[in-house]
Amino acid sequence: MLKNKKVAVVGNQTSMIPGTSGQFVHLVDTLLNSNIKVTKVFAPEHGFRGKADAGETIKDGIDAKTGLPIISLYGSNKKPSAEQLKNIDVVIFDIQDVGARFYTYISTLHYVMEACAELNIEVLVLDRPNPNGNYIDGPILEKEFTSFVGMHPVPVVHGLTIGEYARMMNGEGFLKNKIQVKLWVVNLKHYNKNETYKLPIKPSPNLPNAKAINLYPSLCFFEGTNVNAGRGTNLQFQVFGSPYLSAEVFNFEYTPQSNEGSKSPKHLGKVCYGKNLSNSENLNYLQLDWLIEAYQNTENKNEFFNSFFNKLAGNASLQEAIKAGKSAEEIKASWQDDLADYNKRIKPYLLYE
């Protein structure tokens, strides 16, 4: 499929495959060693080598190992331009996703597919397992809350591999003007979504292990509040806390510090009161009780939510329901009809049992 074609790769530190020596080798190096004409690399949030903070501007540059030009797809340039894709025959997308709507790599995939469709360039997605692929949960995004942390009418936990997600974007007309790209997906062998898949490489700086990845869909809501979700600790997305939570209710204390992946974490240098979830049982559903409990036990409730929360939720109703004192069960009941419809809609795009 790639022979005699000029290739661009959208990748990061997770774009690894096992080499002959048993160690991981980067996809770009593997392709070059196989005489594939890779001419440039596109880098998503966190950069090509995956060391930048969340939300940090990624600069264009040159990959020191291969000498290939690296073009950032984060910041002001989220969609490859016609000039950047000039003389490219096929774009390979190979990035590990974690199955949550607000994880921005699926938004990068959207813009890559859209740009390639407009220029009649093929897209080849190398599929990877979804570590949160064994369940589907959360509200469906409403159109007026579309942003880079939620571009499509899907639930918070979408249950698809990155290859299935690409097929859905094409088939459901999610791209601009309902344009479709010539899409190839290289399927996974022997993959079962109900089997636990432990990622061999951390997918981003603040998802260091399987527990953080499992808790991420539930704890990421705290990014839209004044609660710290473990950034600035070595338990990112495994603890939460803030100086405004009741120390009597939340008896776990920690102090966020500047570290790799979070140079300026929320409540830097301040004692936070919260919970340590690093030894909790694995979730196979979206947990709202922690969010509700934090809201109910915070000082100055009118300062709890920030403007980012509704983008993460994909609606205004979740925040309103929490403020109104509704339980997690009541809130989740309101999603069920939409989730049943979503489960029917995705069937044509599924590649695995």
Side-chain angles (χ1 to χ4, degrees):
M1 293 171 76
L2 300 174
K3 201 172 182 182
N4 300 321
K5 291 183 179 178
K6 293 189 180 75
V7 174
V9 172
V10 184
N12 66 1
Q13 79 287 350
T14 66
S15 311
M16 296 285 191
I17 54 176
T20 51
S21 62
Q23 294 193 323
F24 285 109
V25 181
H26 201 283
L27 174 70
V28 169
D29 301 328
T30 304
L31 293 172
L32 290 171
N33 290 338
S34 303
N35 296 316
I36 301 298
K37 295 176 185 174
V38 181
T39 61
K40 64 180 63 174
V41 172
F42 290 97
E45 182 178 12
H46 305 300
F48 182 50
R49 299 296 176 186
K51 295 190 180 294
D53 285 7
E56 184 178 339
T57 300
I58 306 298
K59 295 183 176 71
D60 295 349
I62 300 292
D63 181 43
K65 186 170 183 181
T66 61
L68 291 171
I70 299 173
I71 297 167
S72 169
L73 292 181
Y74 194 72
S76 58
N77 180 50
K78 292 183 171 68
K79 180 177 175 177
S81 67
E83 182 62 30
Q84 290 166 345
L85 289 169
K86 195 174 180 181
N87 299 323
I88 298 294
D89 300 310
V90 58
V91 173
I92 301 175
F93 188 98
D94 182 27
I95 296 177
Q96 178 65 57
D97 185 45
V98 299
R101 186 182 66 215
F102 30 60
Y103 204 58
T104 60
Y105 298 146
I106 51 178
S107 299
T108 297
L109 175 60
H110 171 109
Y111 283 125
V112 168
M113 287 174 61
E114 192 172 274
C116 289
E118 291 166 353
L119 298 166
N120 201 28
I121 295 170
E122 297 176 11
V123 172
L124 176 64
V125 174
L126 304 185
D127 213 1
R128 288 183 177 267
N130 176 355
N132 288 311
N134 63 326
Y135 72 104
I136 293 168
D137 204 356
I140 304 286
L141 179 118
E142 297 171 9
K143 191 172 183 179
E144 60 267 37
F145 294 93
T146 300
S147 72
F148 198 60
V149 292
M151 296 189 67
H152 311 116
V154 302
V156 169
V157 185
H158 54 71
L160 304 174
T161 66
I162 197 90
E164 291 172 329
Y165 203 101
R167 283 160 54 88
M168 177 181 65
M169 279 198 275
N170 230 14
E172 293 292 297
F174 288 168
L175 306 181
K176 190 177 179 181
N177 300 322
K178 299 189 185 298
I179 195 170
Q180 290 196 340
V181 71
K182 188 172 183 183
L183 176 69
W184 306 89
V185 177
V186 177
N187 292 15
L188 295 158
K189 283 185 177 179
H190 316 301
Y191 178 53
N192 181 334
K193 286 185 183 176
N194 288 320
E195 290 176 2
T196 302
Y197 179 74
K198 187 176 179 182
L199 302 186
I201 296 160
K202 64 182 181 182
S204 50
N206 286 294
L207 290 180
N209 54 40
K211 178 56 65 179
I213 291 165
N214 176 252
L215 291 169
Y216 173 74
S218 298
L219 294 190
C220 194
F221 285 121
F222 283 122
E223 303 278 88
T225 73
N226 63 9
V227 176
N228 172 290
R231 294 185 191 272
T233 75
N234 62 356
L235 291 170
Q236 302 98 320
F237 289 101
Q238 298 155 84
V239 300
F240 70 86
S242 98
Y244 314 118
L245 293 180
S246 166
E248 293 177 11
V249 177
F250 297 97
N251 56 13
F252 177 70
E253 292 183 20
Y254 67 95
T255 304
Q257 305 289 347
S258 180
N259 65 4
E260 182 184 343
S262 195
K263 296 180 184 69
S264 301
K266 199 181 293 181
H267 306 312
L268 175 66
K270 295 179 182 177
V271 176
C272 293
Y273 305 98
K275 283 192 174 182
N276 183 346
L277 305 167
S278 59
N279 293 316
S280 61
E281 288 187 12
N282 271 1
L283 297 176
N284 59 359
Y285 61 94
L286 204 60
Q287 171 60 277
L288 294 179
D289 287 332
W290 300 320
L291 181 64
I292 292 168
E293 187 181 14
Y295 175 76
Q296 290 174 344
N297 291 280
T298 189
E299 298 172 16
N300 299 328
K301 287 185 172 54
N302 60 338
E303 296 177 4
F304 183 80
F305 293 103
N306 61 42
S307 58
F308 193 43
F309 185 85
N310 288 354
K311 288 182 179 179
L312 292 170
N315 60 47
S317 55
L318 178 57
Q319 182 176 161
E320 290 166 1
I322 292 170
K323 286 179 174 178
K326 291 191 176 180
S327 68
E329 290 75 20
E330 289 174 300
I331 294 170
K332 295 185 90 164
S334 69
W335 305 337
Q336 298 313 308
D337 289 346
D338 287 342
L339 289 180
D341 179 59
Y342 171 78
N343 274 294
K344 291 176 190 169
R345 254 180 39 223
I346 62 174
K347 278 186 177 173
Y349 313 116
L350 300 179
L351 296 169
Y352 315 99
E353 291 296 318

